Amino acid sequence: MITLSSANILILLTFISQQHVVQSWSPKHSSSQKASRVIKIPTSNHQLRGGDMTDDAETPSNEDKEGSKQLVLLIDVDNTLYSENELLSSSSVLQNTQQITNSQREQRGIESQIIRNTHLFGLQYFNLTSHQCDELHKVHGSTIEGIRNTVLFPNHEKVKEILGRFYKEVYDPIDYSCLILQTNGDGSSRSGYDHGTALQKRKDLAHFLKAISQRHVMYLASNSPKAHVLRVVRGMGLEDVNFAGILAPDCIEDDETMTIPNDGRTKTIPYPTKSSPMQYYRGILQRYPLKDNNIVLLDDSLTNIRAAASIGIKGIHIGTNYNNNSNPASRSLEEGLSEALGHIVDTKSYKFTDVQYLRAKNQVDFESIDPIVWSRLARELALRLQRKRDLRLKIVDLGAGMLSMLDLILYGGGSGDRVKESLLALTHEKNDANNESQRHFTTTQLEYYAYETNPNLLEACKSKLKTMGFREQQETSGEISFRKLASISMHFNSTEALNERMYPSAFNVDVVVYFRCVDFDSDANPPSNLDLIIGCCFADLFDPNHLTQSLLRIAGMDHTPVPLVYLPITFTGTTQFSPSHPFAKSCPSDTLAFRMYSESLERHGHNLDPYLIIKSMQSHGGSLLAQGQSKWIIDPEQNSYLWDTMLYFFGMSGGREILCNGLDSVGWIKRARMNKRKIIVSNTDLLFCLGVNDKPNNVCNNNFATKWQSGSNSDSSKQIQEIQFVAPYNVTTIHKKSHLGPNQVEIESLRSLISSGTELKVFKGMFESAALDVNIKGMADESMEYPLSYGYSLVGRVVACGPDVPDKDAILGRMVFVFSPHSTRVIIDRNAIQLVPDEFEAEDAIFMPSVETALSLVHDAHVRVGENVAVFGQGLIGLLVTSILSMQTINSSSCQFGSVTSFDTIDDRLAASSLMGATNALHPNFASAAGPFDVSIEVSGSPRALQSAIDNTCDNGRIIVGSWYGNSDVTLKLGIDFHRSHKTIQTSQVSNIPCALTGLWSKERRFALTWELVRLIRPSRLISTKLPLDKAQQAYELLDKGQEIAICFKY
């Protein structure tokens, strides 16, 4: 044993800490010296790139643009390639070991074992305390390097033997079982920016590293021995990553030499570490000269990063607590890799913090939340207060963040047509309007339970509450309470209304906020008798069934009345730049890049389909009360921090996906930053009642048959309300009587869809006098003239049958589709109805004619595999065409084949087009940049779009015209270029099967395929507005403004 007194050790530590030892060493180079050997990772499946570093090794080709530097990544292993904290919280071995304490569990981590074994080695051989070992590590980057420089260097003759003994005794006993992660999730709570289980993150990291290694040079660089590195690589499942090799202290062919500080003599350096950068990195620098290569070290040790920087190697600090602001320059490994690749900017330019992000996001939330759903929420709360005869409200906020919803509830927010009054003020107004016996009241109570598991937000929330005038009351385990008597201002439309109703101009609310620092899903004592559960920017983070079960648990199944559930800003899956850019060589279109970003979120457990939330809630007895759009519009100037944060998210997830799909991720990120455009994110607001739905959607056919059997022979005279167009821009409803004939059925309407093409032309008077439809029974004999009852997409249930209907027992109660004008009831021949397949929703079934029209267009276009198609116009039919075409596209990484590019002038339609599967969803001014196309389908109703379709179709290509231009004159430029192009222009109309297809297709076969497509597309997602039939004028006026995609009548 070599022993030193404590005093001598401290003198040495002090001396070393005052010297810039690493930077003062002056290595000597010799042409006869061989470079450090970099050991390959041996695998049974393939030969790794790189390997042993020899002078005659072939230098990899530069894959980047001419003149740019090749990226060479050096990744540290311990607490960098893996995170010790994540291992301790996610290891299946440690989590399933019931008999050990938390302290014992912490000692089972890999880094913990290395530290403990190093302490034992230092004590056994050099009489060093644990604290002294840690100080050596802090100063020198590793304890063994500190021992080498303070105890062994320069006179000890057994340096190599001692160091070899160190690597064996410290690393051989390590238990690597903690690398095995849980397969059933890590139990961590969810937030809007940190998702997924540790196992999923591990898989994503492996996928990311593999993609990087296929484009860039990547080494593992550790102060630990190579055997340890290999065990970690195998334990993490990274053997198929194409690492170029390993840098480790024991990967040395011949010992290196160094110059003794303040002496000038040379000394052999066995087992060099990162603290001897010229020796440790010599092989790398010889093979990848700095003038031609960008070498980046990712390491958790700032000492190692500073040492590498002394010889020109860039460093990115990987921190254990990278998101708690303790070290603003630290990164997670995924962040570090993204920064090195250029997917995100460095921490000097931008640093993500929870508090700044949420503050910036909340401002956009206030503008985005739908005011109509907000008002409906106030009305429902007012009704609850009346039924309870109680002026107290109890609200739970799940994932409360920076308490933005509390702001809205107390004071309101937003501006212009998106302004929201204080929820409490709205509730009081609606309560008073509904309750004449209680004309006004002056006081109410609000208990607000805010759940937030992110510890970084606690102090910021405390500060915010104090700024709002709350005072802290008490703090218990996991909960802090605050109280304030808030004055709520009332807002009225006129002074007359104020005087007439004698409202108070303000009232006081006793507000108590309970801030709970626990996961709501695991709270053993949730509050009871709740009125409202809020989850802002929340619902899409969970599996829908898990979400519903959790909401029911916290609501309490035995409590009545059950609470309302309000889920504003629920992400629906589409993000876009406005305007979006098309493909450029290997740089993906914005549409495709954002789809990859969404796919990444889905892999991390996000649900991006609100329909699944609605169905899950309904299946548990809940009902949807209101739904409205709440899209984010993020301006790069007005919302600069949030815009940068969104680019950070896209770089972290989207950039990774782009790279893994073989496309130019860096090019896409650079283009986004150079051409700053508005970011539009599609969201929806959902309002539910968790109570039992009184009108179940699916009722057994036998029940309907029993209900209506006796009525089938009753008085056949029926009163019907029906739509009627009476003049241009004038539509109304009429009442008429109809009689049930012997071979007819009576249908009680459920939903009907407005045609945004033909019906809008009828509404505007842009049509010629002709038969309504020559192939639809009942329409062939009617001419298209005012007054006119029209419509052709109605779904309802059969409630009565004439005596001669042969299968009346089978069809009574069945949901059916009919080509019929919009009407509360329909009486029609039995052979004119189509049975809607089982398990269809009425709101999907009404799209059957529209889907058939889109299918007819695709059939007429006759798109061959690999052909690139453009769809001009993304109204309802255009979106359905895009969806059907996207089902036939091939996944070409070059994007030269099988693309579907859509064009429209309205951002919401382009967002929907992305949702329907478009490869590019662009404004029309990008048509020439995105084209030319093999096939163009024009369904816009715009002559300019038709001209663009002609101009941007390849020679010998095909243009399919699906628009009906009514009685408008259309002027086209068909000059010499068109004359020589051999392009084909073909019209398409759904009424008949084209002659070329009649040998294979019949109307029946096309109907059958149409229903299958309705099932796959689920077009009810495109419904933007639902109105009763007596709001017909409003419905057509909305459609004429061009902002709506699909409007249906509900009966």
Side-chain angles (χ1 to χ4, degrees):
M1 177 189 294
I2 301 172
T3 62
L4 286 87
S5 68
S6 298
N8 289 337
I9 288 290
L10 290 176
I11 290 172
L12 285 169
L13 289 174
T14 302
F15 170 77
I16 294 298
S17 65
Q18 292 173 346
Q19 305 297 315
H20 297 287
V21 176
V22 171
Q23 298 184 23
S24 66
W25 290 344
S26 176
K28 293 184 177 180
H29 296 280
S30 170
S31 59
S32 62
Q33 287 181 325
K34 293 186 178 180
S36 300
R37 185 161 56 94
V38 182
I39 302 299
K40 295 184 291 182
I41 301 178
T43 68
S44 57
N45 297 326
H46 64 275
Q47 180 71 23
L48 292 169
R49 232 168 1 107
D52 290 353
M53 302 288 288
T54 57
D55 292 337
D56 58 352
E58 182 181 353
T59 302
S61 62
N62 194 330
E63 299 177 357
D64 296 330
K65 295 180 180 180
E66 183 177 354
S68 64
K69 291 185 176 183
Q70 179 175 242
L71 178 63
V72 180
L73 293 173
L74 310 177
I75 304 174
D76 179 44
V77 175
D78 297 312
N79 231 7
T80 297
L81 189 62
Y82 65 84
S83 165
E84 183 87 343
N85 287 344
E86 289 186 4
L87 287 185
L88 294 175
S89 63
S90 306
S91 168
S92 61
V93 175
L94 298 184
Q95 294 302 316
N96 294 329
T97 304
Q98 305 295 328
Q99 303 301 320
I100 64 174
T101 65
N102 288 335
S103 176
Q104 291 171 327
R105 181 176 286 110
E106 291 175 1
Q107 292 300 313
R108 298 278 291 273
I110 293 177
E111 183 89 348
S112 302
Q113 294 179 71
I114 294 173
I115 294 171
R116 185 173 66 252
N117 294 346
T118 299
H119 289 169
L120 292 174
F121 186 88
L123 178 64
Q124 179 180 353
Y125 288 92
F126 303 106
N127 200 29
L128 294 173
T129 66
S130 297
H131 175 72
Q132 290 168 342
C133 288
D134 293 340
E135 284 298 311
L136 289 171
H137 183 279
K138 183 178 179 181
V139 173
H140 298 279
S142 70
T143 302
I144 193 61
E145 190 66 30
I147 290 174
R148 182 211 303 272
N149 290 311
T150 61
V151 179
L152 301 177
F153 181 85
N155 298 317
H156 199 273
E157 300 297 331
K158 296 185 177 181
V159 173
K160 191 169 186 178
E161 176 187 344
I162 293 294
L163 294 179
R165 191 179 299 169
F166 168 82
Y167 288 116
K168 181 176 179 60
E169 295 185 15
V170 169
Y171 289 92
D172 282 0
I174 291 176
D175 177 7
Y176 294 88
S177 59
C178 61
L179 289 169
I180 303 172
L181 302 180
Q182 295 185 87
T183 58
N184 60 342
D186 57 8
S188 61
S189 59
R190 309 300 297 277
S191 66
Y193 40 84
D194 183 19
H195 317 296
T197 65
L199 186 62
Q200 181 62 52
K201 289 180 180 179
R202 174 79 61 82
K203 290 169 61 178
D204 285 347
L205 176 61
H207 193 46
F208 192 20
L209 291 172
K210 188 172 183 179
I212 295 172
S213 68
Q214 292 169 350
R215 288 197 165 209
H216 305 284
V217 180
M218 186 166 61
Y219 288 86
L220 294 175
S222 177
N223 282 339
S224 300
K226 66 177 183 291
H228 168 77
V229 174
L230 291 171
R231 293 188 190 107
V232 171
V233 167
R234 289 165 184 157
M236 294 183 67
L238 302 178
E239 278 206 343
D240 61 345
V241 177
N242 198 18
F243 291 113
I246 296 174
L247 290 172
D250 57 342
C251 297
I252 303 298
E253 189 167 303
D254 290 324
D255 291 343
E256 297 288 351
T257 60
M258 63 173 283
T259 301
I260 303 171
N262 304 321
D263 191 320
R265 294 179 297 161
T266 61
K267 183 70 177 179
T268 299
I269 309 175
Y271 301 105
T273 66
K274 296 172 188 174
S275 294
S276 306
M278 284 304 299
Q279 288 70 35
Y280 184 85
Y281 299 111
R282 175 177 293 182
I284 290 290
L285 293 173
Q286 287 182 349
R287 188 169 187 181
Y288 306 104
L290 289 172
K291 64 182 181 67
D292 300 318
N293 297 275
N294 179 24
I295 306 176
V296 180
L297 171 68
L298 293 90
D299 202 301
D300 68 317
S301 168
L302 289 171
T303 301
N304 293 337
I305 288 175
R306 286 192 289 267
S310 70
I311 59 171
I313 295 176
K314 298 177 183 178
I316 297 176
H317 183 232
I318 307 303
T320 303
N321 298 314
Y322 47 84
N323 199 29
N324 69 355
N325 303 324
S326 60
N327 183 357
S330 65
R331 296 284 203 188
S332 68
L333 176 58
E334 290 80 359
E335 282 182 308
L337 291 169
S338 296
E339 180 183 330
L341 291 167
H343 292 173
I344 62 175
V345 297
D346 59 49
T347 54
K348 295 179 181 178
S349 304
Y350 167 84
K351 174 63 179 176
F352 172 81
T353 69
D354 308 313
V355 173
Q356 281 184 280
Y357 164 63
L358 290 173
R359 282 174 177 161
K361 182 187 80 69
N362 291 344
Q363 295 305 311
V364 175
D365 286 346
F366 292 163
E367 298 295 329
S368 302
I369 287 175
D370 186 81
I372 296 175
V373 179
W374 184 253
S375 181
R376 177 65 184 275
L377 171 60
R379 190 177 83 188
E380 294 294 330
L381 286 175
L383 292 172
R384 291 176 68 87
L385 287 172
Q386 290 175 20
R387 288 195 297 267
K388 288 179 14 171
R389 299 184 180 276
D390 186 347
L391 302 184
R392 292 178 298 174
L393 283 175
K394 293 182 72 173
I395 298 176
V396 160
D397 189 351
L398 310 176
M402 289 291 295
L403 304 174
S404 60
M405 295 308 299
L406 181 63
D407 269 331
L408 274 180
I409 290 169
L410 295 180
Y411 307 118
S415 61
D417 60 355
R418 307 296 286 185
V419 69
K420 273 77 61 178
E421 191 178 347
S422 157
L423 184 65
L424 294 182
L426 274 176
T427 301
H428 278 58
E429 292 172 17
K430 295 182 183 296
N431 199 327
D432 188 85
N434 294 329
N435 186 7
E436 292 295 333
S437 64
Q438 191 174 9
R439 299 181 65 85
H440 66 273
F441 37 87
T442 57
T443 306
T444 189
Q445 292 178 320
L446 171 62
E447 293 181 20
Y448 194 84
Y449 295 84
Y451 284 88
E452 180 52 62
T453 59
N454 188 342
N456 298 336
L457 303 180
L458 177 58
E459 291 304 318
C461 286
K462 281 185 176 182
S463 176
K464 177 176 180 176
L465 287 169
K466 290 177 182 178
T467 302
M468 293 171 68
F470 285 86
R471 64 185 185 278
E472 186 173 338
Q473 287 191 305
Q474 61 180 353
E475 181 171 350
T476 60
S477 177
E479 181 179 280
I480 309 172
S481 62
F482 303 82
R483 194 167 199 141
K484 172 187 177 180
L485 188 65
S487 178
I488 307 300
S489 300
M490 305 288 285
H491 301 278
F492 308 99
N493 295 328
S494 67
T495 305
E496 291 77 14
L498 173 61
N499 294 333
E500 179 183 346
R501 297 298 301 240
M502 296 181 296
Y503 288 107
S505 61
F507 61 94
N508 293 326
V509 182
D510 181 21
V511 184
V512 182
V513 176
Y514 299 94
F515 194 92
R516 295 194 169 185
C517 310
V518 296
D519 184 0
F520 79 97
D521 209 12
S522 59
D523 188 0
N525 296 296
S528 59
N529 300 316
L530 298 174
D531 295 295
L532 173 63
I533 301 173
I534 298 176
C536 183
C537 301
F538 179 81
D540 52 279
L541 307 182
F542 298 87
D543 170 80
N545 288 322
H546 177 195
L547 173 67
T548 304
Q549 292 285 338
S550 298
L551 292 172
L552 289 170
R553 189 192 68 81
I554 199 169
M557 294 292 290
D558 298 331
H559 294 143
T560 55
V562 291
L564 301 168
V565 174
Y566 178 50
L567 304 174
I569 319 290
T570 299
F571 183 40
T572 61
T574 57
T575 308
Q576 59 186 141
F577 283 127
S578 180
S580 293
H581 284 182
F583 277 91
K585 297 182 179 179
S586 61
C587 184
S589 69
D590 294 334
T591 305
L592 183 59
F594 283 127
R595 182 175 301 124
M596 292 177 180
Y597 170 67
S598 293
E599 289 170 354
S600 172
L601 295 180
E602 287 182 309
R603 279 204 314 277
H604 284 80
H606 284 232
N607 165 55
L608 305 186
D609 188 349
Y611 170 81
L612 299 179
I613 300 174
I614 296 170
K615 293 301 295 179
S616 178
M617 294 286 280
Q618 289 174 342
S619 67
H620 287 82
S623 57
L624 179 67
L625 301 177
Q627 181 176 3
Q629 187 184 80
S630 53
K631 65 182 178 184
W632 280 352
I633 301 177
I634 305 170
D635 186 274
E637 301 298 329
Q638 297 178 12
N639 315 109
S640 57
Y641 185 82
L642 183 58
W643 195 94
D644 287 338
T645 302
M646 296 303 289
L647 260 290
Y648 164 80
F649 289 157
F650 302 153
M652 286 294 297
S653 295
R656 181 190 312 174
E657 290 300 309
I658 295 169
L659 179 69
C660 292
N661 280 277
L663 297 171
D664 183 5
S665 54
V666 176
W668 183 78
I669 295 291
K670 286 182 177 178
R671 184 176 70 185
R673 291 197 174 280
M674 290 177 62
N675 299 279
K676 289 191 172 183
R677 294 152 284 158
K678 288 182 179 179
I679 298 171
I680 302 176
V681 182
S682 62
N683 303 301
T684 189
D685 293 353
L686 302 169
L687 177 62
F688 295 97
C689 177
L690 280 179
V692 176
N693 187 350
D694 294 330
K695 296 179 67 176
N697 291 324
N698 298 313
V699 181
C700 176
N701 290 340
N702 292 334
N703 291 341
F704 274 94
T706 301
K707 180 178 179 181
W708 296 108
Q709 184 67 42
S710 60
S712 62
N713 295 317
S714 61
D715 181 10
S716 59
S717 178
K718 302 294 180 181
Q719 188 76 19
I720 296 173
Q721 185 183 19
E722 187 174 79
I723 197 171
Q724 188 173 80
F725 299 93
V726 295
Y729 294 96
N730 190 350
V731 62
T732 186
T733 56
I734 61 171
H735 293 272
K736 68 178 187 179
K737 284 190 175 183
S738 186
H739 298 273
L740 182 67
N743 286 302
Q744 291 184 315
V745 297
E746 179 185 346
I747 299 164
E748 187 180 75
S749 302
L750 296 172
R751 297 286 190 274
S752 61
L753 180 69
I754 298 177
S755 161
S756 56
T758 306
E759 283 188 60
L760 198 56
K761 289 285 194 298
V762 172
F763 174 69
K764 297 162 71 171
M766 300 171 60
F767 59 88
E768 310 98 332
S769 180
L772 284 182
D773 195 305
V774 297
N775 288 299
I776 297 178
K777 189 170 183 178
M779 293 188 180
D781 298 330
E782 296 186 29
S783 61
M784 194 171 284
E785 296 177 348
Y786 294 127
L788 175 64
S789 293
Y790 192 61
Y792 55 81
S793 301
L794 186 143
V795 170
R797 290 196 185 276
V798 177
V799 295
C801 296
D804 294 341
V805 173
D807 57 348
K808 59 185 176 183
D809 291 339
I811 67 172
L812 277 168
R814 285 291 302 271
M815 190 159 62
V816 295
F817 172 87
V818 289
F819 293 99
S820 168
H822 307 286
S823 178
T824 56
R825 286 178 179 261
V826 176
I827 293 178
I828 195 169
D829 290 349
R830 165 63 183 88
N831 60 7
I833 68 173
Q834 291 192 45
L835 297 178
V836 174
D838 292 338
E839 299 180 359
F840 270 63
E841 298 287 341
E843 289 183 359
D844 284 319
I846 55 176
F847 284 88
M848 193 278 287
S850 300
V851 174
E852 187 197 12
T853 300
L855 175 60
S856 176
L857 283 159
V858 173
H859 276 179
D860 286 340
H862 191 54
V863 178
R864 299 168 180 86
V865 174
E867 287 186 327
N868 296 314
V869 188
V871 184
F872 289 82
Q874 289 297 281
L876 176 57
I877 301 301
L879 288 168
L880 295 172
V881 168
T882 297
S883 180
I884 294 172
L885 287 170
S886 69
M887 297 177 185
Q888 306 177 78
T889 58
I890 59 175
N891 186 18
S892 170
S893 60
S894 67
C895 299
Q896 297 178 9
F897 304 101
S899 65
V900 178
T901 302
S902 63
F903 296 98
D904 205 287
T905 58
I906 299 173
D907 287 330
D908 285 351
R909 292 183 178 183
L910 293 175
S913 183
S914 174
L915 187 66
M916 292 291 105
T919 314
N920 300 276
L922 306 171
H923 282 254
N925 56 324
F926 285 98
S928 59
F933 305 100
D934 301 300
V935 182
S936 293
I937 300 174
E938 188 277 308
V939 282
S940 68
S942 166
R944 293 179 62 187
L946 177 56
Q947 184 69 61
S948 183
I950 295 170
D951 294 344
N952 292 289
T953 300
C954 298
D955 288 355
N956 302 294
R958 308 181 296 287
I959 299 100
I960 309 300
V961 183
S963 294
W964 173 42
Y965 285 92
N967 56 8
S968 301
D969 293 331
V970 176
T971 302
L972 297 173
K973 295 179 181 180
L974 303 177
I976 190 64
D977 290 338
F978 175 79
H979 181 66
R980 294 172 175 173
S981 69
H982 296 279
K983 298 175 184 178
T984 301
I985 301 178
Q986 176 184 339
T987 63
S988 178
Q989 208 278 332
V990 70
S991 294
N992 293 305
I993 302 291
C995 293
L997 297 178
T998 53
L1000 295 172
W1001 288 89
S1002 63
K1003 287 286 285 187
E1004 291 73 23
R1005 187 184 183 197
R1006 193 166 71 181
F1007 278 145
L1009 176 56
T1010 297
W1011 284 117
E1012 287 299 317
L1013 290 172
V1014 171
R1015 188 192 306 274
L1016 292 171
I1017 297 171
R1018 198 162 44 76
S1020 60
R1021 294 179 290 169
L1022 300 175
I1023 296 175
S1024 50
T1025 300
K1026 305 172 190 177
L1027 292 169
L1029 193 61
D1030 57 10
K1031 299 288 186 182
Q1033 183 70 31
Q1034 177 186 348
Y1036 287 94
E1037 288 175 353
L1038 285 172
L1039 205 59
D1040 187 41
K1041 291 178 180 178
Q1043 300 300 316
E1044 305 285 339
I1045 294 175
I1047 297 178
C1048 76
F1049 292 119
K1050 57 181 181 180
Y1051 302 92

